[in-house]
């Protein structure tokens, strides 16, 4: 059950310049009743995307035809709140491959990584630049290069490096997942247990 | 150099470290519930595997369940389906499951400690961010995503990078009417909702030492609201006394042996933390939130900050939050009329919380326009409420006691607050729509909630003491 391999991505972006976007907004609790991982994309940002009568709110970025692409850009402390992995499934299911922010909540970061979506943490300044560039020209493209760990505003060639731990990077590049890895380590885990439980 | 409490427990559970990567961390106990586990069961079954250590996993149904008529089948189809799935999955994999109607059912973070599953020195995970609650016993306990739930199913381990360590010290005596909930809301108002991201917190100081186990759980519970991975408190005699004789705690001579080990669980005097904060308990009074994240809180007697005083970087969030809440900068909230009061959740759904509520409601009545959700955290809490006669006090105050569950904390069941209505809630999150689409949540202590039931307004509970 490997995840999809991550390759260098060049794409337009969907900007949501709001801070503290919590996972209750990304996927409200009432949509957590499914027992598989599919279909959550339909309800991604449900309450910001649709009004009370289920009509799309025209100027919400996901509904605005100006914006497209597989890179989601959000304000600081993206993904805070509940640990629900459904938020990551919704983002992946919608078709995003990359989420950019100046700060990610811990559990969320792990969750997207475990679903083949790359969280790219940039500086406040660079984030502001992305928002400004997309505001000026919605067709602005970003390039995300995982091998070299860089993110670039293509039009101006402005670039910034980002961090990712070597193990996770390897997993994404090769489409491995942690569970296969842990299963391969079961003998070691059993040996540890023996010692630990005495 | 000495070790922190966190390091002592973490290091004892590392199976191996991956170079430039996470550690493989052994997990003593995993708790699961109906919402974040089904995909993990499907996952390991798709790999053709059984759960590796079912005896170290405990399941309860809590998030979706109704809090009335629990003896009847769950009406809402999808909720019923999820709960049924959990039951089936547990049966198939040999996992202990406390379903609706079971004497040990309840919110996962209330049930774990009260059954003695939660013991000092353990590593504990659950697909639920408030797993940090168990840290009150001196455990390394934290919330994980469903992929990690599956990792524990497959190997009783997860892959985790080691977080940094933070210590928050609070010294001094709390004033009358000031609870541990106010302490954590106060810390949140100082450090913000991302103030501890990347850290594991140890709470220390005389104020924490003087707290009961229940009160300590409330503090650790909301560590996640600070962005922390988890929060913990070094165990002491109070901890040992709480754990003693609980159903799944070590018994007799085994217990004494365990206590000897647990006594080693403290941060060495020369241990170094990556970050330290300290606060003075005498500066804390009853607290409320005014915004849509738990960091946007203030003393109940304060005014909402002015626009000029907020950090320009967070201004947009601040304005948006106030718009949603229907508040203005510099507004005072004391005396503001509210519509609902929710007392419950894994933050404040334990017996002590209901004792506080009952003490204040005794001889008083609910304001006629106030609706309430009064929801015990577990069947055992409910039982004790009845044994102590608190339910009679509630009835006399014209307040209805419901059945246990997460209820209006996240409103996955019917316990919703209608759009635009204000709810004083003892839970942990005031996010937009958390208690139902359009609902407006004001987080507070059980005492402040009780005061709001009586007056129908945001009220300083010290007025009634
Ligand atoms: S009471 Fe609320 S915070 Fe606690 S486990 Fe239930 S839903 Fe989560």
């Amino acid at each position: 059950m490997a995840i999809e391999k991550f390759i260098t991505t060049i794409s337009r972006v969907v900007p949501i310049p709001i801070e503290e976007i919590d996972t209750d907004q990304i996927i409200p609790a009432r949509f957590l009743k499914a027992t598989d991982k599919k279909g959550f994309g339909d309800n991604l940002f449900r309450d910001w995307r649709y009004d009370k009568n289920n009509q799309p709110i025209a100027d919400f970025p996901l509904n605005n035809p100006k914006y497209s692409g597989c890179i989601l850009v959000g304000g600081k402390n993206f993904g805070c709140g509940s640990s629900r992995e459904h938020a990551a499934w919704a983002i992946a299911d919608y078709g995003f491959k990359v989420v950019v922010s100046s700060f990610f909540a811990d559990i969320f970061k792990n969750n997207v990584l475990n679903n083949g979506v790359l969280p790219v943490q940039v500086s406040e300044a660079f984030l502001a630049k992305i928002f400004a560039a997309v505001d000026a020209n919605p067709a602005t493209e970003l390039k995300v290069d995982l091998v070299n760990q860089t993110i670039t505003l293509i039009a101006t060639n402005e670039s910034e490096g980002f961090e990712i731990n070597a193990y996770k990077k390897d997993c994404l590049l090769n489409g491995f997942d942690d569970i296969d890895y842990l299963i391969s380590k079961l003998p070691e885990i059993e040996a540890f247990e023996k010692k630990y439980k005495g | 150099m000495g070790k922190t409490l966190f390091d002592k427990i973490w290091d004892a559970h590392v199976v191996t470290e991956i170079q430039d990567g996470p550690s493989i961390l052994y997990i003593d106990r995993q708790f699961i519930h109906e919402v974040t586990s089904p995909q993990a069961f499907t996952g390991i079954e798709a790999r053709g595997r059984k759960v590796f250590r079912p005896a170290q996993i405990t399941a309860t149904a809590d998030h979706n369940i109704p809090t009335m008529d629990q003896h009847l089948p769950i009406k809402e189809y999808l909720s019923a389906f999820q709960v049924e799935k959990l039951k089936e999955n547990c049966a198939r994999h040999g996992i202990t499951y406390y379903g609706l109607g079971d004497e040990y059912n309840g919110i996962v973070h209330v049930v774990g400690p009260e059954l003695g599953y939660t013991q000092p020195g353990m590593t504990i995970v659950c697909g639920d961010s408030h797993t940090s609650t168990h840290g009150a016993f001196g455990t390394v306990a934290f919330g994980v995503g469903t992929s990690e739930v599956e990792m524990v199913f497959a190997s009783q381990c997860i892959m985790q990078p080691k977080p940094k360590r933070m210590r928050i010290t609070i010294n001094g005596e709390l004033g009358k009417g000031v609870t541990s909930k106010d302490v954590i809301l106060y810390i949140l108002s100082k450090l913000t909702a991302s103030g501890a991201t990347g850290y594991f917190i140890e709470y220390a100081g005389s104020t924490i030492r003087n707290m009961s186990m229940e009160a300590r759980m409330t503090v650790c519970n909301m560590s996640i609201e600070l962005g922390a991975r988890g929060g913990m408190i070094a165990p002491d005699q109070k901890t040992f006394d709480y754990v003693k004789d609980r159903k799944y705690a070590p018994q007799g001579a085994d217990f004494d042996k365990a206590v000897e080990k647990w006594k080693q669980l403290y941060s060495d005097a020369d241990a170094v933390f990556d970050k330290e904060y300290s606060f003075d308990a005498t500066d804390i009074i009853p607290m409320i939130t005014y915004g849509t994240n738990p960091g946007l809180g203030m003393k109940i007697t304060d005014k909402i900050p002015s626009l000029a005083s907020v950090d320009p970087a967070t201004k947009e969030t601040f304005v948006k939050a106030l718009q949603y809440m229907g508040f203005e900068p510099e507004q005072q909230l004391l005396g503001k009329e509210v519509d609902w009061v929710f007392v419950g959740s894994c933050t404040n759904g334990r017996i002590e919380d209901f004792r506080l509520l009952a003490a204040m409601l005794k001889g008083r009545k609910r304001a006629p326009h106030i609706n309430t959700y009064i929801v015990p955290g577990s069947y055992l809490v409910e039982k004790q409420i009845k044994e102590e006669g608190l339910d009679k006090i509630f009835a006399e105050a014209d307040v209805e006691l419901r059945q246990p569950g997460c209820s209006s904390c996240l409103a996955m069941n019917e316990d919703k607050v209608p759009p635009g209505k204000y709810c004083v809630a003892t839970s942990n999150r005031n996010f937009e729509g958390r208690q139902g689409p359009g609902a407006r949540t004001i987080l507070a202590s059980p005492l402040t909630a009780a005061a709001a039931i009586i007056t129908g307004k945001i009220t300083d509970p010290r007025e009634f003491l």
Side-chain angles (χ1 to χ4, degrees), chain B residues 54-179:
Chain B
Q56 285 169 250
I57 300 173
T58 311
T60 169
D62 53 7
H63 279 63
N64 266 338
I65 56 172
T67 54
M68 292 301 244
D69 296 330
Q70 288 186 349
H71 60 289
L72 299 175
I74 301 177
K75 279 193 225 123
E76 212 262 338
Y77 169 74
L78 286 172
S79 299
F81 184 70
Q82 241 180 11
V83 170
E84 194 50 38
K85 263 262 163 314
L86 178 62
K87 185 172 162 192
E88 277 170 30
N89 283 332
C90 288
R92 211 166 41 252
H93 290 273
I95 294 170
T96 304
Y97 164 69
Y98 301 118
L100 272 194
D102 191 297
E103 61 176 325
Y104 299 133
N105 174 261
I107 304 172
V108 56
H109 311 307
V110 177
V111 167
E114 74 190 1
L115 292 184
Y117 282 118
T118 305
Q119 296 160 23
M122 284 184 158
T123 48
I124 297 178
V125 297
C126 173
D128 191 286
S129 48
H130 292 96
T131 309
S132 59
T133 315
H134 307 265
F137 292 80
T139 69
V140 168
F142 51 92
V144 294
T146 301
S147 292
E148 286 148 324
V149 174
E150 189 180 337
M151 289 177 209
V152 181
F153 283 172
S155 67
Q156 204 55 36
C157 289
I158 59 170
M159 314 268 287
Q160 283 285 305
K162 194 173 186 176
K164 291 179 282 187
R165 311 127 192 97
M166 176 187 286
R167 179 162 58 190
I168 300 180
T169 308
I170 312 133
N171 280 311
E173 206 170 317
L174 290 173
K176 222 169 180 254
V178 185
T179 69

Side-chain angles (χ1 to χ4, degrees), chain B residues 181-199:
Chain B
K181 179 63 163 289
D182 301 303
V183 172
I184 189 68
L185 286 175
Y186 176 90
I187 296 172
L188 267 154
S189 75
K190 299 283 181 196
L191 302 191
T192 81
S194 58
T197 301
Y199 290 88

